Amino acid sequence: MSTPHPALFEALLRLGDDRLVLGHRTSEWCGHAPILEEDIALANLALDLIGQANLLLEYAGAVEGAGRDQDALAYFREAIEFRNALMCELPKGDYAVTIARHFLHGVFSVLQWDALSSSTDATIAGIAAKALKESRYHVRHAGEWMIRLGDGTDESHRRAQDAVNLLWPFTGELFMPCSDDAELAAAGVTADVSSFEAKWRETIDDVMLRATLTVPEGAWMQRGGREGRHTEHLGHMLAEMQIVARSHPGAQW
Amino acid sequence: MNPTPTVAEDPSRLAEFEARIAADGTIEPKDWMPARYRSQLIRMMSQHAHSEVVGMLPEGNWITRAPSLRRKMILLAKVQDEGGHGLYIYCGTETLGVDRQELVQQLLDGKAKYSSIFNYPTLSWADMGAIGWLVDGAAIVNQTMLAKASYGPYARAMVRICKEENFHKRQGYEIMATLANGTPAQKAMAQESLNRWWWPSLMMFGPHDKDSSNSDELMRWGIKRKSNDELRQRFINLTIAQVKAINLTVPDPDLRYNEATGDWETGPIDWDEFWRVVKGNGPCNKERLAARRAAHAGGAWVREAALAHAEKQQ
Amino acid sequence: MTNPSAERSWPLWEVFTQPADGAPHEHAGSVHATDAEHALQNARDVYARRNEAVSLWVVPSAAITASTPEDMGPFFDPANDKAYRHPQFYKVPKGVKVF
């Protein structure tokens, strides 16, 4: 096991918690999606994300060196210890919110995994290479739906625009670097998130145009998730997620 | 049950059809078939598909509370499979000339049946074990038989489903075995869950042969190959050994082993309960339908948007 | 909202999966979708969850023309008595390994 590395641990929590929380939110659709085909598609998305979180948190536990495995990190941390971006924890909302969030976060993820697949840390590079393929499909799925919802009926257009407006103020946080990441990014272990923004925006603008949707301008960008200052929603989500594990501390499942 | 009016079938075609079934032939969508064979298949296949889709709900209830990431992924993949299986069987039913939308509407209108087992609530994590082990275990016994059904699209869907379901029962039994060997609280949770699911899972095979209105015809036409009681007995014999292996007990003081037949014989099944749940008065009938209706109504604008978008492209 | 019972269905597509490189595409089942891209995505999500495919085809179900059971005799029986199409029909002199 490698020597404890607090900055790398934090970086892995940021990566893992985004996928865990977003995967959990996506899994809430299971059995309730608009059509059977989409139920299956959303479950695939959730499975990919939780699978990524599983690997990232397992590695985070190893890097931390305190004997915590991925389940200890997922089930026995408080909300203030989570490092996910706020966007991921918002309630699942209607189908437009779900699709828009997958699209906005997915395009970011593709850029992030693409950069991390050449990480100097072999474990991160391995996870990133696998996750990159998954995220590319997520973007294809969500992007095609953005276009169909945006350029579908009046109602779907309105809902899609509402979803983008709701989520937009949470996009800025994705590109805000954390101070403890600078050294790791310089060493090629992680990647500077601020470097993805221009490319991200290009893809977003292209799809938004084809979806006949408008990009909100001048929104105040919320932040806090990376420092553990979350919305009120995360605590409720974790209360549900962690209840069984916490009721039986030390138990095997 | 309202049987469709008997149609006078061409006797020579009927004889040819029945000879083909008797010779283990497979009937395909465009083949001639008696109207009653078609209507029985539509009824049985759509009930089966509805059961898969409604069956997502009781287990879906625990996806967000699964106690480890591994269990969360397994459960999600399993419930997803149920949706996939519903989809395969709906598609198979559509080959008989009905539209999925029409079948779904029958479910939402409360006009179609689905397996009563899904009208019981999931009250603890151990229920994820009991359902996978007992409910999927019972379903596999039934579906292995249906994989030899005379209607090709149904049999082929079943072959695919049986292949995929191999892991469902195992993951359920693994949950139960882990709990049974866990802390005292976990073991109690496992036993309590088995107590609740044992009898309903035996009821899944349907009424005793002497009381089963559709069975004779279904067997004559090769849609079913074994009777309810035969299948139930096979399931009981398989399961009792598994119960013993993890040191749990079934809630049946009359359970006894018959040396002569090699069968485990249970006490009487409470058929009043069975019919009560079938007729809509199980603990969750209303909730299950309400959840399906809410998903369908809530998704209408999404389905319309996709249609509208496709039309704009033409 | 429109009357739900009057809802139009998404069209049906037939899905063909190629299980391995070089193998033929085989019918796997069907999905509902409003256009080809979505049919492809749905086919991927429904019929390739377990590495069952390296390639997918989707075809609108309405575009398939199939032979009917009535065609069975005239279409397929004439092939029954043309044994000369099969290699087993031919005698090979002793001592020659099968080629």
Side-chain angles (χ1 to χ4, degrees), chain A residues 31 34 37 44 75 240 253, chain B residues 64 66 71 80 100 292 303:
Chain A
E37 279 81 356
N44 274 346
Y75 290 93
E240 183 176 342
W253 300 101
Chain B
T64 53
R71 288 289 171 208
Q80 179 195 43
R100 186 170 91 191
R292 287 312 312 158
R303 299 190 299 275

Side-chain angles (χ1 to χ4, degrees), chain A residues 163-208:
Chain A
V164 171
N165 295 349
L166 172 83
L167 295 167
W168 196 259
F170 297 95
T171 55
E173 186 181 30
L174 299 174
F175 308 103
M176 293 177 191
C178 298
S179 54
D180 62 0
D181 202 44
E183 206 176 309
L184 285 170
V189 175
T190 61
D192 175 10
V193 288
S194 65
S195 68
F196 306 142
E197 190 164 9
K199 200 84 189 287
W200 177 84
R201 184 61 197 260
E202 216 175 282
T203 309
I204 302 300
D205 283 347
D206 172 51
V207 173
M208 292 286 280

Side-chain angles (χ1 to χ4, degrees), chain C residues 59-74:
Chain C
V59 183
S61 305
I64 291 182
T65 307
S67 65
T68 65
E70 287 68 35
D71 292 332
M72 203 192 255

Side-chain angles (χ1 to χ4, degrees), chain A residues 20 24 27-28 30-37 39-40 43-44 46-47 50-51 54 70-71 75 94-96 145 147-149 151-153 155-156 159 240-241 243-245 248 251-253, chain B residues 53 56-57 62-73 76-77 79-80 83-84 86-87 90 100 125 178-179 183 185-186 189 291-292 295 299 301-306 308-309 312-313:
Chain A
L20 175 59
H24 182 98
S27 79
E28 292 172 356
C30 193
H32 307 278
I35 192 165
L36 208 38
E37 279 81 356
D39 226 316
I40 295 165
N44 274 346
L47 281 169
I50 297 169
N54 187 50
Q70 60 268 49
D71 288 329
Y75 290 93
D94 67 4
Y95 200 64
W145 265 114
I147 293 165
R148 282 158 186 73
L149 296 183
D151 189 22
T153 62
E155 182 181 3
S156 71
R159 286 177 182 261
E240 183 176 342
M241 188 180 106
I243 176 73
V244 178
H248 302 266
Q252 299 295 307
W253 300 101
Chain B
V53 172
M56 297 172 81
L57 299 170
W62 284 85
I63 290 171
T64 53
R65 289 177 287 175
S68 73
L69 294 180
R70 176 171 175 269
R71 288 289 171 208
K72 197 184 194 69
M73 289 188 279
L76 185 51
V79 180
Q80 179 195 43
L87 198 153
Y90 278 129
R100 186 170 91 191
W125 170 252
T178 308
L179 295 175
T183 65
Q186 284 179 304
M189 195 199 289
R292 287 312 312 158
W301 69 270
V302 179
R303 299 190 299 275
E304 281 164 24
H309 179 79
K312 286 183 194 177
Q313 309 311 305

Side-chain angles (χ1 to χ4, degrees), chain A residues 128-150:
Chain A
K130 172 183 177 289
L132 176 60
K133 290 182 208 159
E134 295 169 343
S135 290
R136 283 204 170 120
Y137 184 73
H138 301 173
V139 167
R140 180 165 169 178
H141 175 262
E144 292 289 343
W145 265 114
M146 284 297 288
I147 293 165
R148 282 158 186 73
L149 296 183

